[in-house]
């Protein structure tokens, strides 16, 4: 069974990227605002538009701070989206983490896969108790492998 990446997680991943891009733009604002404010305020050596020009700087710094928060938040969203809640450490569930990390290992080109296989041995091996079921020929009821008669219709399996 291959684990499909849920659309929600894909959306989260892309939303994280958008947040980072917006964040980077906001983060860069002071670097743009300071020279703009300088030239606007002291154009030709005369303070032309003093209040508006100089006010752009603190506003830009506030925007920059928000931008930084967006970058961090967007990055966190992408980690959660890529690895799932378990893989990101939000939920402590080794089995689920293994499942969720399949996407991550796919992106890493299978390098992490070997590490995970090693880790699996340390955790305690593959503990999935697989119950083999057999289907009744006459009524299609699924029975346990070792049962001799169908639980539903009683016919021999
Ligand atoms: Zn049956």
């Amino acid at each position: 069974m291959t684990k499909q990446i849920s659309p929600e997680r894909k959306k989260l991943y892309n939303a994280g990227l958008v947040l980072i891009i917006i964040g980077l733009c906001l983060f860069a604002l002071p670097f743009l605002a300071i020279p703009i404010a300088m030239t606007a305020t002291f154009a030709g050596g005369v303070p032309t538009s003093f209040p508006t020009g100089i006010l752009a700087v603190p506003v830009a710094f506030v925007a920059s701070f928000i931008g930084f928060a967006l970058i961090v938040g967007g990055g966190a969203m992408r980690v959660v989206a890529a690895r799932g809640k378990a893989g990101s450490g939000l939920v402590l569930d080794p089995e689920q983490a293994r499942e969720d990390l399949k996407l991550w290992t796919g992106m890493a080109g299978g390098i992490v896969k070997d590490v995970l296989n090693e880790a699996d041995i340390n955790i305690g091996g593959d503990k999935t108790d697989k119950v083999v079921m057999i289907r009744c020929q006459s009524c299609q009821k699924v029975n346990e492998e070792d049962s001799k008669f169908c639980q539903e219709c009683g016919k021999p399996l």
Side-chain angles (χ1 to χ4, degrees):
M1 199 180 87
T2 50
K3 187 172 177 68
Q4 293 291 315
I5 310 149
S6 63
E8 288 77 20
R9 268 166 67 176
K10 278 180 183 172
K11 273 182 201 164
L12 190 69
Y13 194 80
N14 291 327
L17 180 66
V18 171
L19 277 189
I20 289 169
I21 292 166
I22 294 168
L24 282 170
C25 293
L26 288 175
F27 190 67
L29 266 183
F31 304 101
L32 299 169
I34 290 168
I36 290 167
M38 288 295 186
T39 49
T41 309
F42 302 106
V46 185
T48 48
S49 58
F50 177 72
T52 31
I54 213 76
L55 270 175
V57 178
V59 169
F61 270 103
V62 171
S64 179
F65 184 77
I66 295 165
F68 184 73
L70 285 178
I71 293 166
V72 174
M77 276 168 68
R78 283 168 70 85
V79 168
V80 173
R83 302 188 188 181
K85 279 179 187 171
S88 63
L90 287 175
V91 179
L92 290 175
D93 184 351
E95 293 289 326
Q96 191 59 36
R98 175 68 197 250
E99 278 295 302
D100 283 335
L101 275 168
K102 274 178 185 171
L103 170 65
W104 183 248
T105 56
M107 288 194 298
I111 301 163
V112 188
K113 200 181 172 187
D114 298 331
V115 182
L116 275 173
N117 285 334
E118 290 290 324
D120 224 12
I121 295 161
N122 293 334
I123 289 165
D126 196 1
K127 282 190 281 184
T128 48
D129 293 322
K130 275 189 180 174
V131 181
V132 181
M133 308 293 274
I134 49 170
R135 194 176 291 274
C136 176
Q137 292 294 318
S138 43
C139 75
Q140 308 302 316
K141 159 89 180 170
V142 178
N143 293 273
E144 283 181 29
E145 188 195 22
D146 53 357
S147 50
K148 289 186 170 58
F149 300 96
C150 177
Q151 292 177 335
E152 192 70 25
C153 65
K155 285 187 177 171
L157 295 166

